[in-house]
Amino acid sequence: HGDHSGHQHTDETIAACECSTGITTDMLASECSGDDFDTDLGILQTYLTENDCSQYCTDFVVADGETAFRCYQVFALLTQIHDYCASGTVDEELFHDYLDSCPDCYQNHLFIEGAPECDAGLNCTDTEHQIEDVELVLANCTDVCPETIYHDGEEESCNEVWQHVEGYHRMCAHTELTVEFEKIYDTAAFTTTVCTDTHCNVPWEINGTANCSSSANMKYMMLNEMYGDLVIDELNASDDPESEGYKLIATMVGLVSMLAIILV
């Protein structure tokens, strides 16, 4: 399949998201849509901002405890959704803000039946070509889909150039994609094109499974064993009057109030 070096999903120093979250690929919502999915996604994104999770992600270490790890789990699951679902599913601006602080992790992408393999020879560090390619398809391959278009001095079809763009987004590490590329790509993802073969599959991801006992994943697996899998319904449990967390907080508030009355 060509040279895969330099691509995120072959970098053994990047941890697998599922080793932190406890949520494997087959547990993710296959359609990435629906009321329940939207609600869960909203909880995740709100949790990051309301708990100022970026403060815990920088130089994240085991000693930071459960609060820090829970924040990282939420970011890791957001990363899984970002990579597995269609572009634009998550709040891209929020995601990239936290990517600047939180350790990156990888998630296998959705396998698209019938799509060709992405070009393993793409240079993920060539930011100039990233932007040139995505601008090329937006300018020339939306209302029409010609079989011949000049790309890097060679003749290719619009479908092939779309697949190059998709390859950058699917194969490269998040940190190797420029903010400008991501913004233009988001526009492309929401642009209707008459081209029908725009997707590609990451060749080395097919049937891939995470090794949570590897050196890159060991720390996260240990924390997962200490604090448990991420359960979205429990993230805002303190706002639920029937939750144990809420009852505990209410009890503590009541005791403090009684103590204040006694002391007065």
Side-chain angles (χ1 to χ4, degrees):
H1 296 304
D3 181 14
H4 303 158
S5 61
H7 296 144
Q8 180 197 41
H9 293 259
T10 60
D11 187 344
E12 295 181 355
T13 65
I14 298 178
C17 302
E18 67 183 66
C19 297
S20 296
T21 64
I23 298 172
T24 58
T25 299
D26 59 1
M27 295 168 66
L28 296 172
S30 59
E31 299 299 324
C32 298
S33 61
D35 292 342
D36 290 343
F37 175 82
D38 291 342
T39 297
D40 288 348
L41 180 59
I43 290 172
L44 294 174
Q45 294 178 156
T46 300
Y47 187 91
L48 286 176
T49 54
E50 287 191 349
N51 292 277
D52 192 19
C53 284
S54 59
Q55 66 178 309
Y56 299 113
C57 278
T58 305
D59 300 323
F60 176 70
V61 294
V62 175
D64 288 339
E66 182 174 3
T67 301
F69 183 59
R70 200 66 73 203
C71 269
Y72 178 69
Q73 281 184 309
V74 171
F75 170 74
L77 181 53
L78 191 66
T79 302
Q80 289 182 274
I81 296 170
H82 174 273
D83 286 5
Y84 186 74
C85 301
S87 179
T89 300
V90 308
D91 183 331
E92 292 285 347
E93 185 175 354
L94 174 70
F95 175 71
H96 283 277
D97 283 346
Y98 275 86
L99 190 60
D100 290 338
S101 304
C102 300
D104 197 3
C105 63
Y106 75 80
Q107 162 62 43
N108 283 355
H109 294 78
L110 179 66
F111 180 76
I112 302 168
E113 290 290 343
E117 292 183 353
C118 299
D119 181 3
L122 287 177
N123 181 359
C124 288
T125 62
D126 188 347
T127 56
E128 182 178 346
H129 274 92
Q130 290 175 17
I131 296 170
E132 286 179 357
D133 286 2
V134 72
E135 287 180 337
L136 182 65
V137 292
L138 278 177
N140 300 281
C141 304
T142 55
D143 297 331
V144 293
C145 192
E147 286 296 320
T148 302
I149 189 172
Y150 284 97
H151 173 251
D152 289 339
E154 299 180 1
E155 290 185 356
E156 289 189 273
S157 69
C158 270
N159 279 318
E160 289 173 318
V161 184
W162 268 111
Q163 290 161 17
H164 287 310
V165 172
E166 182 84 345
Y168 282 123
H169 195 255
R170 284 190 153 220
M171 295 193 299
C172 299
H174 302 127
T175 52
E176 291 177 321
L177 298 174
T178 65
V179 174
E180 185 177 359
F181 171 86
E182 288 283 16
K183 286 181 178 178
I184 301 173
Y185 183 89
D186 290 343
T187 301
F190 285 106
T191 299
T192 301
T193 174
V194 296
C195 296
T196 56
D197 298 316
T198 60
H199 298 293
C200 64
N201 290 312
V202 181
W204 57 89
E205 276 192 337
I206 301 172
N207 296 324
T209 55
N211 176 14
C212 291
S213 61
S214 69
S215 58
N217 292 315
M218 194 174 299
K219 174 176 73 174
Y220 300 101
M221 182 182 70
M222 181 182 69
L223 285 164
N224 178 277
E225 290 175 349
M226 289 174 61
Y227 302 120
D229 294 343
L230 179 64
V231 180
I232 296 177
D233 290 343
E234 295 178 358
L235 291 178
N236 57 352
S238 61
D239 296 327
D240 179 4
E242 297 303 317
S243 73
E244 292 303 317
Y246 185 94
K247 291 174 183 176
L248 178 60
I249 293 172
T251 300
M252 292 175 65
V253 170
L255 288 173
V256 170
S257 300
M258 290 175 62
L259 183 60
I261 293 172
I262 293 170
L263 292 177
V264 173

